[in-house]
Amino acid sequence: MENTKNTERYQYDPNHLLETLIQKLNLKNDAALSRALEVAPPLISKIRHRRLPVGASLLIRMHEVSDLSIKDLRELMGDRRTKFRISDKQFKPKEGQNGAAQNGSSQTGT
C-alpha cells in the first residue's frame, strides 16, 4: 500500500507544470506567473503545495497563455488519464425544468 502511495505521489507533480510554464513564458517567479494567468498568487502557492488541484478553468487559461495543448499541460503535471468519467446525472435535466422550458417556448409573448 505504501508503494502505491509513492507511485501516485511521483506521478502527479503540479510543480513540473508550473516550472515549465515559468520557463516557457520567460517569467521570474510564481508571482509573475499568477499575473500572466490573471489569478491570485495564493492560488499558485496552493497548487504548488498540493493543497488545491489544477482546475479545468485554470488549465484552459494556461493553454491560452502558453499555446501548449491541454493534453501537453496535463502530461506536464503527470495526468495520464485517457478518459474522464463524468456522472450521467450532470447531463440530465431536473424533473420540473423540462416541462417548464417547453411551456415557455410555446408561448408567443402575449
Side-chain angles (χ1 to χ4, degrees):
M1 183 171 209
E2 186 178 331
N3 195 14
T4 304
K5 280 186 178 182
N6 286 340
T7 304
E8 288 175 8
R9 189 176 78 218
Y10 292 121
Q11 286 179 348
Y12 175 70
D13 186 12
N15 291 325
H16 183 60
L17 170 64
L18 297 175
E19 290 301 324
T20 301
L21 286 173
I22 288 171
Q23 288 177 352
K24 179 163 177 55
L25 300 173
N26 296 318
L27 303 172
K28 291 184 178 182
N29 52 33
D30 287 353
L33 180 61
S34 70
R35 286 190 295 273
L37 296 174
E38 298 177 358
V39 298
L43 181 71
I44 302 296
S45 177
K46 288 177 183 176
I47 289 170
R48 192 173 285 283
H49 293 99
R50 297 182 187 193
R51 284 182 270 149
L52 191 68
V54 177
S57 60
L58 182 60
L59 200 62
I60 291 169
R61 185 69 186 135
M62 289 174 174
H63 161 68
E64 292 171 345
V65 170
S66 69
D67 288 330
L68 290 169
S69 71
I70 298 292
K71 182 179 179 181
D72 289 342
L73 291 168
R74 288 178 51 222
E75 285 180 0
L76 284 170
M77 73 175 161
D79 186 358
R80 305 268 194 279
R81 295 175 291 178
T82 57
K83 291 185 180 182
F84 292 102
R85 303 201 192 289
I86 299 175
S87 171
D88 60 344
K89 293 179 183 178
Q90 293 177 337
F91 298 109
K92 290 183 181 178
K94 293 183 180 175
E95 286 295 320
Q97 290 180 348
N98 195 15
Q102 289 176 350
N103 291 337
S105 63
S106 65
Q107 295 177 354
T108 58
T110 55

